[in-house]
Amino acid sequence: MGIYSRDYLRDDRRGWSGAASWGTPGCKWIIVANIVVFVLQLVITHPTEVIFGDQVFVRQTSVVTEALALDPSRVLHGEIWRLVTYSFCHEAGGGFPWHILFNMLFVGWWGTTLERMYGTREFVLFYLTAALAAGLAFLGLSFLQGDPTPAIGASGAVMAIMALYAIFYPREEILLFFFLRVQIRFLVLGYLIYDLYPVLQSF
């Protein structure tokens, strides 16, 4: 899909600064869209009663999350947009928003390089297709395990970006936790194992 796919035009040791130069329109669109949806998740809520034992608690539930999350039962009732829209939602509960922060940092760090290689249209299509594939995989596991819990988060699409980047620049190194030098290919492998471990445990 472009001249960069040829081995003799690829540089596996470009350096971290090349990956971190932000500014491509597709990555900006993805990041802004996720941030906007996240803010809407926080501000558009309604009270919901939660029964815990003999006590009834009232908590604020996000209307946006309810409308966009990947809910297996609602997908079966025709709400197929959830197979993609879930990837624009993130955990909006209490505490620091680490979920969206790291996902969007990864999009900016590695997605920018890929977008420059493939072009904005193809990169955004790749991102959305990866989100759809991850959504379908989650749906299949949900039915297999009989677990109706909805899913949110861009982790599936972000993992696809990381994996594709590692294919092109497997030996590029980053400083993990600011002191441990790790090659991208090992970072992606570790992240994949970490992400899939709960799934493998459930079998």
Side-chain angles (χ1 to χ4, degrees), residues 1 19 23-32 34 88 103-132 154 157-165 168:
M1 294 195 294
T24 51
C27 285
K28 283 184 176 179
W29 177 85
I30 291 170
I31 292 171
V32 169
N34 276 272
F88 290 91
N103 275 341
M104 295 305 102
L105 280 176
F106 293 159
V107 170
W109 282 342
W110 295 303
T112 296
T113 297
L114 296 176
E115 185 178 348
R116 286 179 177 144
M117 292 166 59
Y118 291 123
T120 297
R121 180 177 178 180
E122 193 167 354
F123 172 75
V124 172
L125 181 61
F126 168 77
Y127 181 88
L128 296 176
T129 302
L132 174 62
V158 171
M159 174 55 71
I161 288 178
M162 294 174 64
L164 183 59
Y165 188 91
F168 281 99

Side-chain angles (χ1 to χ4, degrees), residues 67-131:
L68 303 182
L70 180 50
D71 186 329
S73 62
R74 294 192 178 187
V75 172
L76 284 181
H77 286 84
E79 298 181 12
I80 59 174
W81 64 81
R82 294 175 179 272
L83 289 168
V84 173
T85 57
Y86 79 96
S87 65
F88 290 91
C89 295
H90 287 83
E91 180 58 47
F96 195 81
W98 295 109
H99 192 196
I100 186 173
L101 175 64
F102 281 110
N103 275 341
M104 295 305 102
L105 280 176
F106 293 159
V107 170
W109 282 342
W110 295 303
T112 296
T113 297
L114 296 176
E115 185 178 348
R116 286 179 177 144
M117 292 166 59
Y118 291 123
T120 297
R121 180 177 178 180
E122 193 167 354
F123 172 75
V124 172
L125 181 61
F126 168 77
Y127 181 88
L128 296 176
T129 302

Side-chain angles (χ1 to χ4, degrees), residues 12-193:
D12 285 342
R13 308 187 69 87
R14 303 182 307 117
W16 179 248
S17 60
S21 55
W22 297 34
T24 51
C27 285
K28 283 184 176 179
W29 177 85
I30 291 170
I31 292 171
V32 169
N34 276 272
I35 292 174
V36 169
V37 171
F38 182 73
V39 172
L40 293 176
Q41 284 180 265
L42 293 174
V43 300
I44 305 178
T45 62
H46 67 84
T48 303
E49 288 188 351
V50 179
I51 300 175
F52 186 76
D54 296 331
Q55 296 180 312
V56 177
F57 300 91
V58 177
R59 69 176 184 183
Q60 294 297 317
T61 301
S62 173
V63 175
V64 175
T65 304
E66 287 185 333
L68 303 182
L70 180 50
D71 186 329
S73 62
R74 294 192 178 187
V75 172
L76 284 181
H77 286 84
E79 298 181 12
I80 59 174
W81 64 81
R82 294 175 179 272
L83 289 168
V84 173
T85 57
Y86 79 96
S87 65
F88 290 91
C89 295
H90 287 83
E91 180 58 47
F96 195 81
W98 295 109
H99 192 196
I100 186 173
L101 175 64
F102 281 110
N103 275 341
M104 295 305 102
L105 280 176
F106 293 159
V107 170
W109 282 342
W110 295 303
T112 296
T113 297
L114 296 176
E115 185 178 348
R116 286 179 177 144
M117 292 166 59
Y118 291 123
T120 297
R121 180 177 178 180
E122 193 167 354
F123 172 75
V124 172
L125 181 61
F126 168 77
Y127 181 88
L128 296 176
T129 302
L132 174 62
L136 289 171
F138 173 83
L139 199 65
L141 285 172
S142 176
F143 293 144
L144 184 63
Q145 299 173 351
D147 184 0
T149 306
I152 56 174
S155 297
V158 171
M159 174 55 71
I161 288 178
M162 294 174 64
L164 183 59
Y165 188 91
I167 290 172
F168 281 99
Y169 307 105
R171 294 180 179 83
E172 182 174 302
E173 296 180 337
I174 68 167
L175 287 176
L176 190 62
F177 305 119
F178 303 104
F179 70 90
L180 181 62
R181 194 171 291 276
V182 180
Q183 291 185 356
I184 290 291
R185 54 182 172 173
F186 298 127
L187 177 66
V188 172
L189 180 61
Y191 185 75
L192 180 63
I193 293 173

